Amino acid sequence: MRGRGFRVRHVLLALVAGLSFTAGAAPDARAKARTQARVEALLSAMTLEEKLGQLQQLDGFSEGHPRAEHATMIRQGRLGSTLNVRGAKTTNELQRIAMEQSRLGIPVLFAFDVIHGYRTIFPVPLAETATWDPTIAERAAHVAAIESTAVGLKWTFAPMVDIARDPRWGRIVEGSGEDPYLGSLFARARVKGFQGDDMAAPDRVMACAKHWVGYGAGEGGRDYNTTEISEHALREVYFPPFKAAVEAGVGTFMSAFNDLNGVPATANPFTLRRILKEQWNFDGFVVSDYESVKETIAHGLAADAKDAARYSLLAGLDMEMVSRTYAEHLPALLDEGEVAMTAVDDAVRRILTKKAELGLFERPYTDESREARDLDRPEYHRLAREAAGKSVVLLKNERDVLPLRKSLGSVALIGPLANDKQAPLGSWLGDGRSEPVVTVLEGLRAKLPGANRVRFVKGVEVEGSGLDQIEQAVEAAKASDVAVLVLGERSDMSGEAASRSRIDLPGRQQDLLRAVLATGKPVVLVLMSGRPLALEWEVANTPAVVQAWFGGTQAGHGLADVLMGDLEPHGKLPVTFPRAVGQIPIYYNHKNTGRPPDPNNKYSSKYIDLSSDPLFPFGYGLTYSKFELADLKIENTEIRAGEPVRASVKITNSGIRRATEVVQLYLRDHAASVTRPVKELKAYRRVYLEPGETKLVTFELAYTELGFHDRDMRYVVEPGMFSLIAGLHSATGLESTFRLLKAR
Ligand code: BGC
């Protein structure tokens, strides 16, 4: 057996080495041709069983070990990829079986959900997006790639680029929020951070844009739920971050769990084949989600497992995660002529090509000494602290309660999340450990050394009524100069399968807040959560409110940096915060309707019992200073076809602190053949200003950015009246118009 395998490989290598058409070609083209030749040579030598093996991915145990059958299957060429199996030694052992004992020596591709860090955990993706700084996401993804490759991984199931307009959906935490433009910037940055310019480099992993597509639009915010999304909305809202990932060179896509317009996304030929592979020319492969091929039966599409395999493969789904319908049923489907071998070959080719591009054939093994060297390094923690700090969003700051003065006597630090080492890790924590997590208590104590300067009382549990220390909390507040309450959700209250029907403070947390507010002491409410919470009462009654999300390993230091004013608040909301669940879905880039909300007109689009405005709009976030915009000028108010639009606006820091602000530029197309949103973010700039300083911020929008998909789904730019709106968040701003002239 072994000898035969060696012979086959020898012939293949000779074949690849002897290719003459690569001579003289550019290095990139030569590498491509070599990869292609290797893949074609392998393909022609593979048995059907070996081909189907490449289409199969199986799960190991959550702590990283493979299952007993994996080694045998790898030896027989029946398993091409695993998830959760990790550790340099473990993966090397399995890889050695693939390379030395399988007939063709095709390497195994080891995958894992490295979503916002492997060992060093960064803020959850929604929080990271609140930095509005994609370079942070890129650097964080690179660190995650370094740590992942140190333990033998070469593929991460990230970035998650699902647009989410429903904070009930627990997985809103994993993405970049509601905006296609911001989402696209972060999609691109994360793909670049994971893959670099060459994903074969020893410190890079292959990325996976997921979940293709529409997963965030599940009805009622319930996970895995049905979606009905018009093709127009798909193209305008849900596709763009995926498209950005493709443009950034993402190696793989993952299909989503949801039923999309009557066809489960995992078996949807329109999205998988027509859009992704044909229109976008995506040359990578698509992996299913966990058992989602088999789940097409429960959806009511496939009659049985064989039907599930047929539907999915024909739709363009290449690799099956965990369920085994391909391995079990494709042989019969091929025999019966229901599926052509070319369809199987196309899937195998795509997978082998990525394995080759990952350099796995040349460097299948991991240097085992890296595991001790490359995890948890101090420079990664410094970046995690920067990211945690910059993701914090200041939502309210009456009477300048914040920043806390260094000369402050003492702080009462109260709440179930104030000293919680688990919550900051979020719901996908890779191999993150809770011991090194810096809690808010630790972060504040580091800033305010000395006995009794930070008095900590847990107060209540996040949920339930198992703990009652409300009185002690009140006493601590009375004895201190200021009370900081850290309230919100546990990390398992968002993420997968963690949708909520109420998005308030669970348990007795509001009682705790009320009691502390009644002391009359200044109160800062710090919110830890993986989603926007609807806290109208809390926000109205608390002088200072800060959204801290789940900040990762360095959460406490990052937050303390902001609370104490060592870092100016940077964060802006990547998603709208509703006042109440009844407003959902609520998002800034909505349509105007024929009857926009008008307080003086009953027959306008609104609620009779609540404002239609959000609690906090998209793009919102205060600073410790004050900023004003003035003089929005559009350089050319009559634009001819093909010309860019140039605009400028002045921003002044009218406060007394040096601070940073984000100038946001929105576009409105007043009349078009398909109605357009009231505004869409098109660009933004971060500026740093000294007190009293004014800067001129300039923007240039390319002509193509003025377009949209028309009724026939063509991308068009239509003449007519447009507005540019410059603001510090999405709800208000300076507005100026320009006209796009008809082409003559
Ligand atoms: C999730 C994916 C994840 C996969 C593998 C699924 O349940 O939806 O996001 O990548 O599991 O862990």
Side-chain angles (χ1 to χ4, degrees):
M1 174 75 194
R2 197 171 179 164
R4 201 167 63 235
F6 274 24
R7 264 199 309 283
V8 176
R9 280 206 300 282
H10 188 75
V11 172
L12 292 177
L13 287 177
L15 228 162
V16 174
L19 289 166
S20 55
F21 61 84
T22 58
D28 262 11
R30 269 211 302 275
K32 239 190 164 142
R34 254 201 318 274
T35 297
Q36 229 175 11
R38 159 176 272 146
V39 169
E40 292 310 318
L42 274 173
L43 207 50
S44 60
M46 287 167 95
T47 62
L48 176 60
E49 197 177 49
E50 286 163 341
K51 287 180 183 176
L52 300 184
Q54 290 305 308
L55 310 189
Q56 181 72 62
Q57 181 181 65
L58 291 179
D59 194 0
F61 292 102
S62 55
E63 80 287 0
H65 299 309
R67 288 173 201 273
E69 64 176 339
H70 291 175
T72 318
M73 291 179 75
I74 290 170
R75 191 173 293 115
Q76 295 167 344
R78 293 196 296 122
L79 181 60
S81 177
T82 63
L83 71 150
N84 289 326
V85 175
R86 58 197 186 279
K89 189 160 172 290
T90 306
T91 52
N92 278 349
E93 275 167 12
L94 282 185
Q95 196 68 297
R96 204 153 280 122
I97 296 174
M99 302 311 291
E100 295 176 7
Q101 297 174 30
S102 77
R103 197 175 72 93
L104 294 174
I106 300 174
V108 179
L109 179 50
F110 297 104
F112 190 49
D113 289 281
V114 182
I115 310 296
H116 52 107
Y118 178 79
R119 179 65 58 78
T120 304
I121 303 302
F122 293 91
V124 291
L126 189 63
E128 213 176 58
T129 310
T131 63
W132 284 49
D133 184 350
T135 66
I136 289 188
E138 185 177 337
R139 286 185 286 151
H142 186 199
V143 168
I146 298 171
E147 292 192 338
S148 302
T149 49
V151 297
L153 297 165
K154 213 48 196 165
W155 185 18
T156 175
F157 297 134
M160 191 276 223
V161 302
D162 293 314
I163 295 291
R165 292 170 158 184
D166 193 331
R168 289 171 298 183
W169 189 47
R171 301 197 78 169
I172 195 169
V173 65
E174 294 176 49
S176 287
E178 73 190 32
D179 185 50
Y181 175 76
L182 195 61
S184 298
L185 292 183
F186 276 79
R188 211 170 282 135
R190 291 185 173 124
V191 170
K192 275 178 69 187
F194 286 127
Q195 297 190 169
D197 294 331
D198 175 10
M199 60 188 185
D203 60 339
R204 300 290 183 172
V205 293
M206 179 161 67
C208 181
K210 72 185 189 186
H211 306 83
W212 180 243
V213 57
Y215 186 34
E219 288 175 0
R222 220 175 73 204
D223 208 359
Y224 316 122
N225 208 2
T226 308
T227 61
E228 289 281 346
I229 312 172
S230 72
E231 184 176 341
H232 195 262
L234 283 173
R235 290 186 187 267
E236 289 288 319
V237 179
Y238 294 92
F239 285 176
F242 287 96
K243 183 88 184 301
V246 171
E247 285 162 6
V250 73
T252 61
F253 264 48
M254 184 185 292
S255 73
F257 282 127
N258 51 298
D259 180 336
L260 175 65
N261 301 333
V263 185
T266 290
N268 194 311
F270 171 67
T271 51
L272 292 171
R273 205 171 284 289
R274 253 236 346 262
I275 301 292
L276 179 62
K277 292 183 172 176
E278 290 171 11
Q279 290 188 7
W280 295 357
N281 278 318
F282 173 63
D283 69 353
F285 68 87
V286 183
V287 62
S288 76
D289 204 341
Y290 209 99
E291 297 199 313
S292 67
V293 172
K294 196 175 82 185
E295 289 172 10
T296 59
I297 305 170
H299 276 295
L301 176 78
D304 51 29
K306 186 173 170 189
D307 216 19
R310 182 179 61 86
Y311 268 122
S312 304
L313 188 85
L314 292 180
L317 191 284
D318 303 302
M319 183 184 278
E320 181 171 5
M321 188 193 290
V322 178
S323 55
R324 306 181 191 210
T325 71
Y326 280 15
E328 284 166 10
H329 300 289
L330 280 174
L333 287 164
L334 285 157
D335 273 354
E336 292 156 15
E338 292 284 332
V339 165
M341 188 59 92
T342 48
V344 173
D345 284 351
D346 176 59
V348 178
R349 191 178 281 121
R350 286 169 178 273
I351 292 164
L352 291 179
T353 302
K354 289 301 153 191
K355 287 188 174 182
E357 286 173 13
L358 280 165
L360 285 174
F361 287 93
E362 284 82 17
R363 285 181 304 283
Y365 305 113
T366 301
D367 169 359
E368 290 177 23
S369 69
R370 279 190 59 200
E371 223 173 279
R373 223 173 35 237
D374 281 352
L375 300 184
D376 254 342
R377 294 175 65 94
E379 61 268 32
Y380 307 161
H381 284 226
R382 276 198 293 277
L383 178 59
R385 178 176 184 157
E386 181 188 343
K390 289 184 172 174
S391 70
V392 170
V393 186
L394 180 62
L395 295 174
K396 187 176 175 190
N397 193 20
E398 267 175 16
R399 302 192 300 273
D400 290 336
V401 173
L402 289 172
L404 302 177
R405 280 164 293 114
K406 295 254 163 66
S407 56
L408 194 82
S410 62
V411 179
L413 180 66
I414 297 165
L417 294 162
N419 197 30
D420 184 322
K421 283 192 174 283
Q422 196 60 37
L425 294 173
S427 65
W428 281 118
L429 43 118
D431 248 343
R433 308 283 154 92
S434 55
E435 313 87 75
V437 169
V438 180
T439 65
V440 183
L441 178 60
E442 290 163 339
L444 271 186
R445 284 218 164 122
K447 298 269 186 200
L448 296 168
N452 269 342
R453 289 197 66 203
V454 184
R455 293 195 181 83
F456 168 61
V457 180
K458 186 171 175 187
V460 297
E461 298 290 355
V462 170
E463 255 185 324
S465 47
L467 179 75
D468 188 349
Q469 297 176 339
I470 295 185
E471 258 174 48
Q472 291 93 310
V474 166
E475 289 314 310
K478 283 184 181 160
S480 308
D481 299 324
V482 58
V484 175
L485 278 91
V486 189
L487 308 180
E489 299 179 324
R490 285 192 319 266
S491 55
D492 64 354
M493 298 174 88
S494 60
E496 188 174 351
S499 294
R500 291 184 66 199
S501 64
R502 281 183 287 261
I503 52 170
D504 51 8
L505 288 176
R508 297 194 60 207
Q509 295 185 82
Q510 198 195 68
D511 295 343
L512 178 66
L513 175 64
R514 267 179 207 275
V516 176
L517 283 169
T519 63
K521 290 282 175 173
V523 172
V524 179
L525 170 58
V526 173
L527 295 168
M528 271 195 197
S529 63
R531 60 160 61 81
L533 297 175
L535 303 181
E536 213 182 9
W537 183 89
E538 289 81 349
V539 169
N541 289 285
T542 312
V545 183
V546 160
Q547 178 66 36
W549 319 99
F550 297 131
T553 309
Q554 291 283 311
H557 282 323
L559 177 70
D561 287 340
V562 177
L563 294 181
M564 301 298 300
D566 294 332
L567 177 71
E568 294 301 317
H570 274 63
K572 301 279 163 190
L573 296 179
V575 63
T576 303
F577 275 41
R579 292 174 185 277
V581 165
Q583 290 182 316
I584 298 169
I586 182 168
Y587 46 91
Y588 85 93
N589 47 354
H590 57 83
K591 300 289 184 73
N592 200 37
T593 81
R595 295 183 175 189
D598 173 357
N600 302 316
N601 179 4
K602 174 170 166 55
Y603 296 96
S604 67
S605 178
K606 56 188 168 61
Y607 301 101
I608 57 168
D609 58 351
L610 187 68
S611 151
S612 13
D613 292 337
L615 186 57
F616 295 109
F618 170 83
Y620 187 81
L622 301 172
T623 69
Y624 289 149
S625 195
K626 268 204 344 240
F627 287 87
E628 270 134 44
L629 293 177
D631 292 342
L632 171 64
K633 287 209 177 85
I634 301 181
E635 199 176 282
N636 37 352
T637 51
E638 301 214 316
I639 308 275
R640 272 184 292 273
E643 280 178 8
V645 189
R646 294 195 190 89
S648 64
V649 66
K650 281 188 192 143
I651 178 163
T652 302
N653 180 349
S654 53
I656 52 167
R657 286 177 70 99
R658 176 171 202 258
T660 169
E661 223 345 329
V662 175
V663 185
Q664 304 167 27
L665 190 72
Y666 296 86
L667 178 82
R668 175 165 189 172
D669 182 348
H670 288 270
S673 60
V674 176
T675 57
R676 307 293 302 131
V678 292
K679 59 181 68 165
E680 290 177 294
L681 182 66
K682 287 289 170 182
Y684 64 87
R685 302 257 184 288
R686 178 177 293 284
V687 288
Y688 289 84
L689 293 184
E690 298 295 332
E693 192 184 354
T694 297
K695 271 187 183 161
L696 185 73
V697 179
T698 58
F699 294 98
E700 180 171 310
L701 287 192
Y703 178 75
T704 50
E705 289 178 69
L706 308 178
F708 62 94
H709 292 88
D710 71 5
R711 297 180 195 183
D712 300 318
M713 301 305 141
R714 289 173 314 201
Y715 189 82
V716 294
V717 183
E718 288 181 357
M721 178 78 99
F722 291 77
S723 285
L724 285 184
I725 304 138
L728 302 178
H729 55 75
S730 63
T732 56
L734 303 174
E735 183 165 348
S736 194
T737 57
F738 66 93
R739 181 169 290 283
L740 195 65
L741 302 174
K742 279 194 185 126
R744 271 181 296 163

